[in-house]
């Protein structure tokens, strides 16, 4: 389970009056990583502790604006910090990089 909390900024590459608006986006914050348990042969152990890690992402997208609604799609490169190991060096992990693709609807008022 990953719960990100962040603040971001978006820079529109065309004026607000345009129908098609490409944009660049940057977000900075933290993410809560849930604990991970592993089991083998009836034995169970916590592999990673629940922890807060730093995160950021950088990307861009395209928005199509209609009167008070718009639709968008964007792609970002996201970094999540290293999870907290519960079993010492045996369960150490590297930070992760992902490539989330997001689409949605925005409302303006």
């Amino acid at each position: 389970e990953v719960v990100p909390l962040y603040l971001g900024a978006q820079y529109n590459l065309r004026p607000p009056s345009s129908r098609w608006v490409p944009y660049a986006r940057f977000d900075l914050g933290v993410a809560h990583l849930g604990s991970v348990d592993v089991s083998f042969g009836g034995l169970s152990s916590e592999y990673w502790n629940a922890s807060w890690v730093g995160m950021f992402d950088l990307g861009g997208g395209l928005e199509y604006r209609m009167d008070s609604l718009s639709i968008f799609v964007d792609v970002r490169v996201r970094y999540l910090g290293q999870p907290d190991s519960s079993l010492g060096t045996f369960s150490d992990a590297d930070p992760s990089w992902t490539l989330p693709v997001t689409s949605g609807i925005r409302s303006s008022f």
Side-chain angles (χ1 to χ4, degrees):
E1 176 179 295
V2 178
V3 178
L5 300 171
Y6 56 87
L7 291 174
Q10 178 173 309
Y11 179 74
N12 294 328
L13 302 172
R14 300 219 29 216
S17 59
S18 302
R19 286 270 186 215
W20 293 95
V21 181
Y23 59 86
R25 179 159 188 90
F26 175 76
D27 300 310
L28 181 64
V30 295
H32 183 264
L33 305 178
S35 64
V36 174
D37 296 331
V38 293
S39 59
F40 181 75
L43 300 173
S44 181
S45 180
E46 190 170 76
Y47 195 72
W48 291 331
N49 296 319
S51 58
W52 288 93
V53 298
M55 67 144 300
F56 72 88
D57 60 37
L58 177 65
L62 183 63
E63 182 175 0
Y64 178 72
R65 293 184 175 168
M66 298 165 278
D67 295 324
S68 62
L69 288 177
S70 62
I71 56 174
F72 69 91
V73 63
D74 65 33
V75 178
R76 304 176 200 182
V77 174
R78 179 173 288 166
Y79 169 86
L80 285 174
Q82 179 178 357
D84 186 23
S85 171
S86 181
L87 299 175
T89 57
F90 178 73
S91 64
D92 280 347
D94 292 331
S96 65
W97 291 89
T98 58
L99 191 66
V101 177
T102 307
S103 64
I105 299 172
R106 286 191 182 109
S107 175
S108 302
F109 50 91

